[in-house]
Amino acid sequence: MNADRNTSHPPRLDSRVKSSSTGPPQLSPVDRIISLHHGSTTAIEATPERLQAMKQYPKATLPEEIEQLQKRNSRLAHEVAYYRDMEQYRQEFEHDMVRLKEKFEKALFKLGRRQQEVGEEWARLRTENSAQVQNGLNSPYGYNGSG
């Protein structure tokens, strides 16, 4: 690899990440979706609203934290069940798409073969017709064959 090439291009930064001197990272579209589902990312935790909330609310007691973790565990268990159910449907969908793709490919192959056969027949008929016209013009009786 050429060393000059690597130094001529600055490294690409994630478009949502700002440098530390300009503040916290901006929320990406994915962060916003995660936030809508009450999830968390580093960018979400660094938002002014979240930082302010952490200052205003006292740290949860151990029983409160256990309850919060149990609720979170329940949400995650529901999420796992959802993805397990969706995996079955995704696999069925993928299987259906593979079957349709194969059927479509067979239909296209059949169409191509029929087009080739019709094209060859058309060329044969044109050649025969051209030969008949040529023979009719060379006939002593003229094109229509009558004398």
Side-chain angles (χ1 to χ4, degrees), residues 28-45:
S28 71
V30 173
D31 290 322
R32 294 180 198 287
I33 293 169
I34 291 170
S35 179
L36 288 173
H37 293 279
H38 308 291
S40 185
T41 65
T42 303
I44 293 170
E45 291 300 321

Side-chain angles (χ1 to χ4, degrees), residues 80-144:
V80 167
Y82 167 80
Y83 284 115
R84 280 187 181 140
D85 288 347
M86 288 307 297
E87 179 61 16
Q88 173 191 348
Y89 297 122
R90 188 202 61 78
Q91 287 177 354
E92 289 174 9
F93 178 77
E94 182 180 4
H95 178 72
D96 290 346
M97 291 300 104
V98 168
R99 279 193 357 251
L100 285 171
K101 176 187 163 268
E102 290 169 355
K103 190 173 182 179
F104 186 66
E105 286 173 341
K106 286 178 185 177
L108 284 173
F109 177 77
K110 188 176 179 180
L111 174 64
R113 192 173 60 223
R114 297 291 187 251
Q115 285 178 322
Q116 183 178 2
E117 290 170 0
V118 168
E120 289 169 357
E121 181 65 16
W122 174 250
R124 186 185 62 76
L125 290 173
R126 283 188 16 207
T127 302
E128 288 177 4
N129 191 31
S130 182
Q132 288 174 352
V133 167
Q134 217 31 272
N135 288 338
L137 292 176
N138 293 336
S139 168
Y141 303 108
Y143 176 72
N144 62 9

